[in-house]
Amino acid sequence: MDSTKLSLAVAFALFVLLSSADATAKSLCCIDRVFTFGDSMTDAGNACQVQGGNCGVIPYGETYFHKPNGRWCDGRLIVDFIAQAYGLPLPPPSMAGNTREYFLNGANFAYAGSMALNISTYKKVTGLDRAGPDHSLGIQLQSFKDLLPVISQGSSVSAVMTNSLFIVGEIGGVDYIGGLVSNKPTEEMKSWTPSVVAAIGSAVNDLINLGATTLIVPGNFAIGCAPWFLTLLKSNNSGDYDSQTGCLKKLNELAVYHNTMLTQELAKQRLLHPLANIVYADYYGAQTQLILTSKLRDIPAPLYACCGAPGQPYNFSLNMQCGSKGSQVCPDPTKYISWDGNHLTEAANNVIANGILYGPYAIPPLV
């Protein structure tokens, strides 16, 4: 067996091990609550509750909840699987409750469409306008701070912070999406990265100063593999695509650039806070490995959306998105990585979560 086939076989064996691990059956130690922040890859229903959208219609939620649940997925998110691995219930959307009992096991402060940068800073850094209310990372963190007196009733802020897991992201992808839909060159967008990463680092620093001791900070996904951008930025130049994955190289290079700077920022935070456990979650690595081993996992079209526009390239069209009139859903979402062209299926989320929890995609390892 040549080295390429051997490497692929080893990778597949590792992925079978990770994906067969039942995140609900194993329980990590000593976490009472899970609090999460981020965008639509993490949002458990905040945006759906406030502004509606396709997240509130069938087939969203069909796999696990058997009805729409506010998540931009057919079922559970990566953060849901992580919470279950700690023996905790799924973190509920923060905007749906205001009592101590509601936040007893944590909450999800993520909001679909959120950026790491606030709207005013985004305008200064990018020159782009951003409409709508600001639910950026700093706003989400302030919401958590405002609720902390309620959350800590009957205990103490110190006890809550020390015994909780904080998942800060994924966040930052939307900051770049604004540039991509505005046809900004990726090289120009790389100049935004220091500001985007600094906003994430600031949130991590603030949480630790509040008393947080355990944090997971994910990097960006492989945005060049999303059916949405494969459709929007379609190229006739075969050299623009990665020969192994079929993904757009420049977009993934932007994600890698962001993730590299983020790991450097987290290294600085570890020096500032040596007693805190700051874990980098390599969503990009876990996702691309899933794509590379897709054929061995019986996923025939790893870059196609499960739910979307039938007959269209990558099964995606902005004019016929999942849940809208004329869209169709695949019969078996476990055979797909992308759910709706932008978000992942529950099956893909499960594999990535297990790679973070028990595999090589957490730095340093969680277990």
Side-chain angles (χ1 to χ4, degrees), residues 74-318:
D74 61 311
R76 288 164 290 181
L77 309 171
I78 295 171
V79 295
D80 293 326
F81 285 108
I82 291 174
Q84 288 184 319
Y86 281 95
L88 297 172
L90 309 186
S94 60
M95 293 182 177
N98 58 9
T99 66
R100 173 186 174 275
E101 290 72 24
Y102 185 82
F103 296 101
L104 199 59
N105 297 117
N108 188 323
F109 287 82
Y111 195 100
S114 293
M115 300 185 296
L117 298 174
N118 62 49
I119 289 178
S120 61
T121 303
Y122 183 73
K123 169 74 172 177
K124 292 175 184 176
V125 170
T126 70
L128 298 173
D129 290 313
R130 174 67 187 265
D134 193 346
H135 295 284
S136 57
L137 179 57
I139 302 296
Q140 294 176 28
L141 182 56
Q142 187 59 53
S143 296
F144 169 75
K145 292 177 181 177
D146 292 343
L147 283 166
L148 200 48
V150 174
I151 296 169
S152 60
Q153 284 178 6
S155 181
S156 68
V157 170
S158 175
V160 168
M161 298 300 294
T162 301
N163 297 318
S164 296
L165 168 64
F166 294 88
I167 306 177
V168 187
E170 177 270 338
I171 191 78
V174 176
D175 300 66
Y176 302 114
I177 287 173
L180 292 173
V181 298
S182 301
N183 295 315
K184 293 284 188 180
T186 55
E187 288 304 313
E188 178 182 341
M189 286 187 282
K190 287 179 181 178
S191 70
W192 309 349
T193 304
S195 298
V196 174
V197 167
I200 300 170
S202 177
V204 169
N205 185 68
D206 285 355
L207 284 167
I208 296 172
N209 285 337
L210 283 170
T213 58
T214 307
L215 305 93
I216 295 176
V217 187
N220 275 354
F221 289 95
I223 52 179
C225 302
W228 178 14
F229 291 112
L230 286 164
T231 301
L232 180 68
L233 303 176
K234 181 181 177 181
S235 173
N236 293 322
N237 182 0
S238 61
D240 290 338
Y241 296 88
D242 185 276
S243 60
Q244 290 185 299
T245 62
C247 304
L248 286 164
K249 290 194 291 189
K250 283 191 175 181
L251 270 63
N252 277 357
E253 287 168 1
L254 175 62
V256 169
Y257 186 79
H258 169 95
N259 293 342
T260 300
M261 290 200 71
L262 180 59
T263 57
Q264 293 169 351
E265 172 62 27
L266 296 183
K268 294 177 185 176
Q269 292 296 328
R270 292 186 189 103
L271 290 175
L272 288 172
H273 307 286
L275 298 181
N277 184 21
I278 305 171
V279 176
Y280 171 70
D282 183 10
Y283 283 8
Y284 180 98
Q287 180 189 1
T288 53
Q289 189 62 29
L290 179 54
I291 292 169
L292 287 169
T293 58
S294 58
K295 287 189 172 129
L296 296 172
R297 297 176 61 82
D298 194 23
I299 299 175
L303 301 182
Y304 275 61
C306 166
C307 181
Q312 295 298 311
Y314 304 104
N315 203 32
F316 181 82
S317 170
L318 284 172

